[in-house]
Amino acid sequence: MKKTALVTGGAGFIGSHICDYLLEKQYRVICMDNLITGSLENIEHIRTGDFIYLNHDITEYIDLKDDICSIFHFASPASPIDYLQLPIQTLKVGSLGTHNILGLAKVKRAKMVLASTSEVYGDPKIHPQAEEYWGNVNCVGPRGVYDEAKRFAEALTMAYHRQQGLDTYIVRIFNTYGPRMRKDDGRAVPTFISQCLENRDITVFGKGSQTRSFCYISDMVEGIYSLINSNYHLPLNIGNPEEMTILQLAQNIKDISKSKSNIVFQELPADDPLVRKPDIKRARKLLGWEPNISFKDGVEKTISYFRGKITS
Ligand code: UDP
């Protein structure tokens, strides 16, 4: 008998890669998604055999007959323009949705990993960000709906772990990129790649001096799988510490894609963090994990995915 895993948000970017990974590891996979930001296209290649797709909004009661051994809780709008357009759904999925998932984990005696985020650090005053840092979040700013939903989800997960003895894990995901990001999700990597491939202007916000550190999707998925198989229950950063400014990101993507696009500067969105880089000492020590896909290799793979999308 194969073990069954549930992936919420399984038709999204990271969720669908987790589904692929679990199928390769011989799990039976139940993917739950209401498709408000996910897409069936991300899972059409696996819709057979040991893969089950259920269209469900996890903020509503979840009725599952199957035995489940692990839950990967990845459902949430996750790009700034998505959570700006879906503020209430974002708050509800992080709070009510996480509550339902923890209740499900309890009755199924399943372990559960919560997809948290570097956004819990807000616009950080400590650099790089280690797990001990409590963050600098504007709870009523435009990003507050996502940041506070994830902070609440972390608190709720720890409460179920401490009070009810649930086997829970919390991954703080830093900027991640790769195939299956939506071209229109507004995030820097897919936006710059599609602008480069279509020879449109590359839109850098502000002066482009803000920094981010980009992790390729396969490194991220391996880190998450390794965490849920560890015995570490406090939040853990997973990300790539190779930091660059957004202007460097734009220039790098332009160079790698050999694009003729011009870089143009637009207004910086409110509360856009000035710097972001994960301190991954703990993940290295506890999991023996570290990213191994270089930025150039990762961007090349992502460009070839977007080339397919843009010409088709
Ligand atoms: N950004 C940009 N141009 C774009 C999209 C994003 O300059 O067309 C910047 C954005 O202001 C932020 C950084 O790129 O400073 C990363 O943005 P993203 O939305 O990818 O993720 P975030 O880390 O802000 O959640």
Side-chain angles (χ1 to χ4, degrees):
M1 272 285 279
K2 288 191 169 181
K3 291 186 287 187
T4 302
L6 169 67
V7 184
T8 76
F13 163 49
I14 300 186
S16 66
H17 284 278
I18 290 179
C19 291
D20 287 350
Y21 191 82
L22 293 171
L23 289 167
E24 271 167 37
K25 295 246 174 240
Q26 303 303 314
Y27 284 78
R28 189 172 158 261
V29 175
I30 301 176
C31 159
M32 201 173 267
D33 205 302
N34 65 352
L35 305 178
I36 62 169
T37 57
S39 158
L40 290 180
E41 234 184 286
N42 291 338
I43 50 172
E44 72 190 350
H45 62 292
I46 45 177
R47 289 192 69 174
T48 50
D50 290 323
F51 182 80
I52 297 142
Y53 165 70
L54 299 176
N55 188 314
H56 184 70
D57 174 350
I58 61 158
T59 66
E60 305 290 338
Y61 181 76
I62 303 165
D63 185 18
L64 263 189
K65 302 281 174 281
D66 310 63
D67 285 334
I68 293 166
C69 71
S70 318
I71 303 177
F72 294 77
H73 177 29
F74 279 68
S76 176
S79 86
I81 60 164
D82 286 345
Y83 51 74
L84 286 178
Q85 274 162 18
L86 302 163
I88 296 172
Q89 287 95 327
T90 303
L91 282 158
K92 282 177 74 180
V93 75
S95 53
L96 307 178
T98 302
H99 187 223
N100 284 337
I101 289 300
L102 287 162
L104 184 71
K106 190 165 135 188
V107 292
K108 300 292 181 187
R109 296 175 192 281
K111 53 185 172 180
M112 177 273 216
V113 59
L114 167 71
S116 186
T117 168
S118 54
E119 282 283 327
V120 300
Y121 302 120
D123 187 5
K125 302 286 179 221
I126 300 278
H127 192 67
Q129 295 76 53
E131 290 86 349
E132 293 80 24
Y133 180 48
W134 292 353
N136 176 39
V137 170
N138 173 8
C139 65
V140 293
R143 291 175 173 250
V145 294
Y146 184 61
D147 303 7
E148 295 298 356
K150 291 294 187 183
R151 288 169 70 98
F152 176 84
E154 287 198 7
L156 193 63
T157 301
M158 287 311 299
Y160 270 81
H161 174 68
R162 292 187 173 123
Q163 195 203 336
Q164 311 254 344
L166 256 69
D167 191 6
T168 59
Y169 303 85
I170 299 173
V171 55
R172 289 189 178 150
I173 298 172
F174 282 67
N175 294 65
T176 302
Y177 70 98
R180 302 191 198 140
M181 294 186 93
R182 281 189 357 251
K183 189 184 151 192
D184 64 349
D185 88 354
R187 283 188 278 205
V189 172
T191 305
F192 292 172
I193 290 180
S194 35
Q195 289 168 338
C196 282
L197 295 182
E198 293 167 352
N199 289 312
R200 289 182 287 119
D201 288 346
I202 307 172
T203 53
V204 167
F205 297 160
K207 295 194 176 88
S209 56
Q210 67 275 34
T211 71
R212 295 293 187 274
S213 311
F214 296 94
C215 183
Y216 188 65
I217 183 66
S218 58
D219 284 332
M220 178 56 58
V221 171
E222 277 165 18
I224 293 163
Y225 187 73
S226 168
L227 174 61
I228 200 177
N229 287 301
S230 74
N231 54 13
Y232 187 73
H233 301 286
L234 289 168
L236 191 74
N237 289 343
I238 298 284
N240 190 322
E242 196 187 322
E243 185 183 14
M244 63 187 85
T245 68
I246 293 304
L247 185 56
Q248 283 166 341
L249 174 76
Q251 191 61 54
N252 288 340
I253 291 180
K254 178 174 148 92
D255 293 347
I256 297 170
S257 63
K258 302 189 175 65
S259 167
K260 295 190 179 64
S261 292
N262 296 313
I263 295 177
V264 298
F265 296 89
Q266 294 185 350
E267 200 181 331
L268 189 67
D271 295 342
D272 199 284
L274 282 179
V275 288
R276 183 180 291 152
K277 169 183 171 159
D279 177 330
I280 59 164
K281 274 194 219 76
R282 195 169 289 175
R284 279 199 175 103
K285 182 161 174 252
L286 293 171
L287 310 178
W289 172 89
E290 62 182 356
N292 55 41
I293 306 285
S294 70
F295 180 76
K296 184 164 184 290
D297 287 353
V299 166
E300 276 169 357
K301 288 176 206 281
T302 312
I303 287 174
S304 53
Y305 169 81
F306 276 96
R307 266 192 218 288
K309 290 273 139 205
I310 283 164
T311 49
S312 67

